Amino acid sequence: MSGGAGYIGSHVTVELIQAGYDVVVADNLSNCDLTCFEGVKKITGKSDLPFVKMDFCDHAATEGLFSSFKIDAVIHFAGFKAVGESVSDPLKYYSNNLGSFVNLLQVARAHGGCNVLFSSSATVYGEPEKSPATESTPRQSATSPYGNTKQICEDILRDSVKAYPEIKGIALRYFNPIGAHPSALIGELPRGVPNNLVPFITQTAVGKRECLSIFGNDYPTPDGTCLRDYIDIVDLAKAHVCAVRRMLDGQMEQPYEIYNIGTGRPVSVLELVTSFEKVNNLKLNYKFAARRPGDVTAIWADPALACEKLHWKAERSVEETLASAWAWEKHLAEQ
Ligand code: UD1
C-alpha cells in the first residue's frame, strides 16, 4: 500500500488485516509521521506489520519493494492533496502525483502485472449538473491541479489496463471522508491549519482554533450552506477490502472499474456543525464568512453500483462518525 501511513491508508490497513490479508505499508512520511502506523499495530495486534519508508517516484526503491514482497494488489494512496498548494505550485503536484503512479505501474508490469486500486475523488465531477452523481455522470474540467491529477491518474489507469492485460484496475471515487476509528487510536492528523471541515471543527472545539468560518450561507440550498456527502472513514476503508477482494477473486466484469464511495445522503455544512454540537454535547464557536473560491454548491453520491457489485454500503450514522472524530481529537489532546 503506497501512502499507507496516512489518514485513509491507516484505516484501510486495519480493515484489510482484520479481513485476513497480509499488508505491506509503504510511505515516504512527507505528510504524516508514524503515529497512525503505530495505532494500526495496536488495534490489530500485529506488532510485526511491515513498514517501508520509500518514495514511489524512486524507481529503484519501488523495484526493491516488488522484489522483496510478493505483491498481488496495490492500493495507491501516495500523493499530495492540498488544493490551494496545488494552485500555487502545480509542478510539485504533477511531478509527484503523476510520476509516482506511472513509476508504480511500470514496476508492477515489469514484475508480471498487478491489481491496482487507485484512490480517486468526487472532485472529478466538479459541480455536477445534478446530484446524486453516478459513475457515468460526466467529469468536469478540474478546477485545481490537484483535481486534475486525480483525473489524469484515472486516465492513466484506464489506458494502462486497455494496453496491458497484466494490469487490472479499480478507481474508487471518495466523497468526503470524515471521522476516526472507534478505538480513537488512528484518525486524521492535518499539518498546520486544516483545509477540511471536520478537522477544523474538532480543532475549534478543543480550543486549538478560535472560530470556525462557515464558507458561504447564500448558496441555493435549503439552509444556504453547501451540501456534501460525508462518508465515515471506517465505512470507506471497508469499501477497499471489498474492491481488493473483487480483484483478487477474479470477479471483475471489466478490466477497469469505477465506483462512487459515498452514503447517498446530502448534509449541509450547518447541519454537520449542529449535529457535531448535539452528539458531543458542546457549543462550537462559528461564524458565517464569505464563500471559499472553488467550492461547489452541492454534490452527493449515488452509491448503488458499489452496493450491487462490491456488496458494500455505508453503515455508520453521521452522529457516530462525528462522535468518533471528537474522541480522536480528545485523544490527541491527551498526548
Ligand atoms: C475538498 C477538496 C477536494 C478534496 C477533498 C478531500 C476543495 C475545493 N475541494 O473537498 O478536492 O478531494 O477536500 O478531502 O478544496 N468548509 C467550511 N469551513 C471550513 C472548511 C470547509 O465552511 O473551515 C465547508 C466548505 O466550504 C465545503 C464543506 O465545508 O462546503 C466541505 O469542505 P472540505 O472538507 O474542505 O471538503 P470539499 O471542499 O468538499
Side-chain angles (χ1 to χ4, degrees), residues 178-180 230-235 263 265 267 272 275-276 279 313-325:
I178 62 165
Y230 295 95
I231 170 78
D232 180 85
I233 188 69
V234 176
D235 280 338
T263 65
R265 185 182 54 206
V267 173
L272 199 80
S275 304
F276 181 83
V279 70
K313 74 177 190 341
E315 278 167 358
R316 252 168 135 195
S317 67
V318 170
E319 287 75 21
E320 270 178 281
T321 307
L322 291 173
S324 73

Side-chain angles (χ1 to χ4, degrees), residues 26-323:
D27 204 303
N28 67 0
L29 302 180
S30 68
N31 196 32
C32 64
D33 56 24
L34 287 172
T35 306
C36 286
F37 180 73
E38 292 303 327
V40 169
K41 292 205 285 190
K42 262 199 206 132
I43 295 167
T44 58
K46 236 184 141 13
S47 53
D48 59 349
L49 178 64
F51 176 78
V52 182
K53 184 173 185 296
M54 60 162 286
D55 190 325
F56 278 83
C57 292
D58 180 337
H59 192 80
T62 312
E63 265 292 329
L65 183 78
F66 274 78
S67 306
S68 309
F69 297 92
K70 188 186 162 298
I71 296 174
D72 300 314
V74 173
I75 307 184
H76 183 60
F77 293 116
F80 296 138
K81 58 172 189 179
V83 178
E85 186 192 40
S86 80
V87 176
S88 56
D89 195 357
L91 293 179
K92 175 175 173 182
Y93 277 67
Y94 287 120
S95 75
N96 182 66
N97 293 11
L98 306 183
S100 61
F101 196 41
V102 169
N103 182 47
L104 172 63
L105 292 171
Q106 280 173 333
V107 173
R109 273 197 77 207
H111 285 259
C114 202
N115 295 293
V116 179
L117 197 165
F118 174 64
S119 67
S120 191
S121 165
T123 196
V124 302
Y125 296 120
E127 174 95 65
E129 256 165 42
K130 68 178 177 54
S131 275
T134 70
E135 290 77 359
S136 45
T137 296
R139 297 186 325 189
Q140 309 273 344
S141 10
T143 52
S144 71
Y146 159 78
N148 209 14
T149 65
K150 290 291 181 196
Q151 297 206 1
I152 297 170
C153 283
E154 283 193 355
D155 295 345
I156 289 171
L157 189 54
R158 178 202 61 202
D159 295 344
S160 298
V161 303
K162 209 185 280 173
Y164 316 124
E166 65 273 27
I167 305 264
K168 304 248 179 309
I170 290 184
L172 298 183
R173 291 178 175 161
Y174 313 145
F175 282 68
N176 289 56
I178 62 165
H181 194 265
S183 64
L185 290 170
I186 55 174
E188 201 166 357
L189 259 181
R191 286 202 169 153
V193 182
N195 293 314
N196 296 116
L197 179 60
V198 168
F200 208 107
I201 290 177
T202 56
Q203 290 195 6
T204 306
V206 86
K208 260 188 172 167
R209 312 272 155 217
E210 208 170 299
C211 181
L212 166 78
S213 292
I214 295 185
F215 298 137
N217 62 346
D218 56 352
Y219 283 99
T221 59
D223 66 16
T225 66
C226 294
L227 297 173
R228 294 287 183 278
D229 186 332
Y230 295 95
I231 170 78
D232 180 85
I233 188 69
V234 176
D235 280 338
L236 178 106
K238 288 180 175 159
H240 294 71
V241 178
C242 299
V244 165
R245 188 177 293 134
R246 182 172 172 87
M247 293 197 287
L248 293 178
D249 291 355
Q251 300 291 317
M252 287 177 69
E253 289 161 38
Q254 283 147 31
Y256 174 55
E257 297 179 344
I258 301 173
Y259 296 101
N260 282 345
I261 303 300
T263 65
R265 185 182 54 206
V267 173
S268 78
V269 176
L270 197 55
E271 279 172 323
L272 199 80
V273 168
T274 313
S275 304
F276 181 83
E277 291 185 317
K278 204 166 150 208
V279 70
N280 295 314
N281 199 21
L282 48 78
K283 218 55 223 121
L284 195 73
N285 194 19
Y286 70 86
K287 61 172 192 229
F288 292 110
R291 292 180 179 196
R292 181 171 69 176
D295 274 346
V296 301
T297 304
I299 178 164
W300 66 95
D302 179 340
L305 193 66
C307 185
E308 184 194 335
K309 305 286 184 191
L310 299 181
H311 312 294
W312 170 88
K313 74 177 190 341
E315 278 167 358
R316 252 168 135 195
S317 67
V318 170
E319 287 75 21
E320 270 178 281
T321 307
L322 291 173

